[in-house]
Amino acid sequence: MYVCLCKRVSDHTIQQVVAEGARSWREVREQTGCATQCGKCACMGKSVTQDALAREMFGDPELAYAV
Ligand code: FES
């Protein structure tokens, strides 16, 4: 799905840049352009980035939030 319509950034694009080494929302934003125009996608972009980072580091995003 598209996360950012202005820059045509999809969730797959964000997952891809995280898989390639991006380790923060700032890095994802810089590499994709997500949320750099109108900014309405910022919350969704951050959320998708956090899930992608959790998946990259822990294999399962649910484990990242486990107590
Ligand atoms: Fe992402 Fe506008 S929808 S910057």
Side-chain angles (χ1 to χ4, degrees):
M1 75 175 172
Y2 276 106
V3 173
C4 177
L5 294 177
C6 295
K7 296 294 183 174
R8 296 184 181 187
V9 179
S10 69
D11 56 342
H12 293 290
T13 303
I14 291 173
Q15 290 160 4
Q16 183 70 35
V17 297
V18 168
E20 292 173 357
R23 288 295 176 262
S24 67
W25 164 237
R26 182 179 182 176
E27 289 178 4
V28 168
R29 197 178 58 197
E30 288 172 355
Q31 292 180 32
T32 63
C34 188
T36 59
Q37 196 162 326
C38 76
K40 290 182 178 178
C41 59
C43 286
M44 178 62 78
K46 286 179 192 174
S47 177
V48 172
T49 298
Q50 287 171 346
D51 283 351
L53 284 169
R55 191 172 290 117
E56 188 70 20
M57 296 203 263
F58 302 108
D60 182 349
E62 295 301 320
L63 293 177
Y65 304 111
V67 177

